[in-house]
Amino acid sequence: MSAPTDVTRARRVLGRPLTIGGLTVPNRIVMAPMTRQFSPGGVPGENVAAYYARRAAAEVGLIITEGTFVEHPSAGMSHDIPRFWGADALAGWAGVVEAVHGAGGRIIPQLWHVGVTRDQGTGPVESAPPVGPSGLDLTGSPKGEALGSTDIDDIVRAFAEGAAAAQRLGFDGVELHGAHGYLIDQFLWSGTNRREDAYGASRVRFAAEIVAAVRAAVTPDFPVFLRLSQWKSGQYDAKLAENPGELERVIGPLAEAGVDVFHASTRRYWLPEFEGSDLNLAGWIKKVGGKHVVTVGSVGLDREFVGPAGRSSTTALRDIEDLLDRAEGDEFDLVAVGRALIADPEWAHKALNGRLSQTHPYQVEHARTLH
């Protein structure tokens, strides 16, 4: 028998369905959440619905929306990034769900609180102060206000209410943004969490409380995703965990609280996370947590999204043979694709059919004219 062709292999490895609770995705390709500012007043319109539906129609198995702000005054920093509260915004999201489902896709929203990365005077609630665990920015300098217990309870409740709204609107699950130095991550990371109360003694407590509240607000078969990262914006060498043991101490309580899928954000998926093993961050989280995982990081491209040299304006195409090797070995369960899907809405279809040579490399102009 002859060896399978590359076309056959890509379809065989990435074309497998996966069931997580009540969600079955037809293949392993996920659209990564990518911040956009195409929702004036925080309301996603028909253009947003068409943007996601176009990718769903081209065989993206699961779409994770751009980050969308939970209902807390300090959650957001732009009037043009969508929010997940208010009748107008939720009606807009209902239209997005309808469009994606109509195209045969699956979709989950990413719920977001930016925490102390927010600047005073930015929308959607301009008068709100930046807030974080300790009143420190990502460099360790004073900024904003430290959250009190009442504020923490309000934020936990906002995430839970957002998740409940997602299920009411017909979304297929929900993701919590706990990566990249935003609020949940600010509690997880020692660089920004210097608290001397229970949320400092256990830096995972805040995230676990949010997960538990979200889990209680939705049905047991409604999947809960959590995005995590080691790196932070501008802090690319930051670590939540220096070794697998430390990683397990972060992941274990979150899995117990109710996370179904961990979304491990790295800038280059092919790099090993810890010495002595080729496993990337997603692979290690799967090993220590026993849950499904999503890998992400310059899939299909030759340069990371961000780094010490800043945002790359152009990339070349990279083959996915290493990705297929890792996926075939079940190092991870799902593969999130970002810029490649901005540059080419049909990237998933082309990847599954051995036509990557026909895809378009990312250029920064694509992000300015998203379609």
Side-chain angles (χ1 to χ4, degrees):
M1 176 180 287
S2 61
T5 64
D6 289 346
V7 176
T8 302
R9 186 183 185 213
R11 176 68 68 174
R12 173 170 54 82
V13 175
L14 297 181
R16 297 172 292 167
L18 179 67
T19 297
I20 306 162
L23 166 66
T24 297
V25 292
N27 63 57
R28 303 304 177 96
I29 298 176
V30 176
M31 183 174 183
M34 291 174 284
T35 298
R36 310 169 71 227
Q37 299 201 47
F38 286 74
S39 297
V43 178
E46 292 181 2
N47 60 319
V48 176
Y51 166 78
Y52 289 122
R54 184 175 183 185
R55 279 125 182 114
E59 291 198 85
V60 172
L62 175 67
I63 289 168
I64 305 175
T65 74
E66 62 214 275
T68 176
F69 304 136
V70 296
E71 189 174 6
H72 182 263
S74 299
M77 75 301 201
S78 170
H79 289 288
D80 295 322
I81 292 174
R83 50 186 160 84
F84 212 76
W85 52 271
D88 52 353
L90 294 181
W93 282 119
V96 173
V97 172
E98 182 179 9
V100 169
H101 285 171
R106 312 289 188 272
I107 184 168
I108 67 176
Q110 186 189 72
L111 303 183
W112 191 19
H113 192 304
V114 302
V116 80
T117 63
R118 180 179 179 276
D119 290 328
Q120 184 78 43
T122 55
V125 183
E126 295 180 3
S127 61
V131 296
S134 303
L136 300 173
D137 68 14
L138 299 185
T139 70
S141 300
K143 183 181 180 182
E145 300 178 2
L147 288 163
S149 58
T150 300
D151 301 308
I152 287 174
D153 291 344
D154 288 344
I155 292 170
V156 170
R157 183 165 51 252
F159 275 95
E161 290 174 351
Q167 186 162 34
R168 287 197 308 272
L169 294 174
F171 279 96
D172 300 294
V174 66
E175 176 165 285
L176 313 176
H177 196 340
H180 306 162
Y182 297 115
L183 184 62
I184 293 175
D185 196 20
Q186 289 160 25
F187 273 85
L188 290 170
W189 185 41
S190 61
T192 41
N193 185 347
R194 309 285 178 82
R195 296 174 74 99
E196 297 181 354
D197 62 1
Y199 292 97
S202 173
R203 290 195 296 271
V204 76
R205 176 172 174 162
F206 178 68
E209 286 185 358
I210 289 175
V211 172
V214 165
R215 182 76 277 162
V218 298
T219 59
D221 64 345
F222 193 69
V224 175
F225 289 57
L226 176 64
R227 197 175 212 206
L228 296 173
S229 68
Q230 297 263 42
W231 67 275
K232 325 299 171 197
S233 180
Q235 303 292 321
Y236 302 107
D237 295 326
K239 298 283 187 181
L240 293 182
E242 296 284 350
N243 55 62
E246 291 183 1
L247 183 65
E248 186 171 6
R249 287 191 285 275
V250 173
I251 298 303
L254 297 172
E256 186 176 349
V259 174
D260 297 298
V261 183
F262 288 96
H263 185 174
S265 179
T266 60
R267 292 183 294 122
R268 288 160 287 184
Y269 79 86
W270 55 86
L271 295 183
E273 190 58 37
F274 301 121
E275 290 186 9
S277 169
D278 290 334
L279 290 178
N280 68 10
L281 181 61
W284 272 110
I285 290 176
K286 184 173 183 178
K287 183 173 182 175
V288 303
K291 297 288 186 176
H292 292 299
V293 294
V294 185
T295 197
V296 68
S298 303
V299 174
L301 304 173
D302 70 334
R303 300 177 198 164
E304 68 268 17
F305 174 40
V306 291
R311 294 172 182 259
S312 57
S313 60
T314 305
T315 68
L317 298 175
R318 178 184 175 94
D319 69 50
I320 59 169
E321 289 305 307
D322 181 52
L323 182 78
L324 294 177
D325 290 342
R326 292 168 180 266
E328 196 166 32
D330 291 325
E331 181 173 342
F332 37 76
D333 304 288
L334 295 164
V335 175
V337 182
R339 285 170 301 153
L341 273 171
I342 289 180
D344 192 337
E346 296 187 350
W347 187 93
H349 178 73
K350 292 175 181 178
L352 288 168
N353 289 282
R355 295 168 50 208
L356 279 176
S357 63
Q358 299 175 25
T359 58
H360 309 299
Y362 173 87
Q363 298 178 2
V364 72
E365 287 76 15
H366 289 126
R368 299 188 183 122
T369 58
L370 294 175
H371 56 290

